[in-house]
Amino acid sequence: MGATVSSAGKILIVEDEFLVALQLEDILADGGHAVVGTVPDMASLGSLGDVPDVALVDLNLRDGLTGPAIARDLSGRYGARVIYVTANPGQIDTPAPTAVGVVQKPFTRQAILAAISYALAGCPDSARPMELEPLRAG
């Protein structure tokens, strides 16, 4: 059991729409979380400076449908929990092993913060937020 505060986390935003990424940054900062970076495509993943606890991952990015592959990479490399933030959850082919669910776009501040808190708390069964949809089995 760590001594760190469970309510704050290091969050990576994987989103190519500038205004959506900005909105997520504001929500996360107001919620007391640190944004470790914003990644708009697969190539930008190499510039990641800090290891994220949680990644908010859109599916369709600047370089196409690369969100699912980025999510699997973040999961395997860092063990980051993945929350897909998308309007098209049916496009998730093989979910990342650490994926916890989907927040549908358009999202609310409450949905994002509840999903992050749930992921940082270790995803307790009894506390799944209503706004965080479970992943569909392929």
Side-chain angles (χ1 to χ4, degrees), residues 22-37:
L22 221 72
Q23 182 184 14
L24 286 169
E25 281 183 30
D26 286 346
I27 290 170
L28 295 169
D30 289 349
H33 302 289
V35 175
V36 297

Side-chain angles (χ1 to χ4, degrees), residues 32-75:
H33 302 289
V35 175
V36 297
T38 300
V39 175
D41 54 32
M42 185 73 88
S44 302
L45 198 54
S47 64
L48 191 59
D50 206 350
V51 175
D53 299 315
V54 178
L56 299 176
V57 181
D58 189 15
L59 302 180
N60 293 293
L61 301 170
R62 194 181 325 177
D63 53 357
L65 183 60
T66 57
I70 290 173
R72 289 190 298 274
D73 182 51
L74 291 168
S75 174

Side-chain angles (χ1 to χ4, degrees), residues 3 11 20-21 40-41 44 90 96 103 106-107:
I11 316 300
V20 174
D41 54 32
S44 302
V103 173
F107 52 80

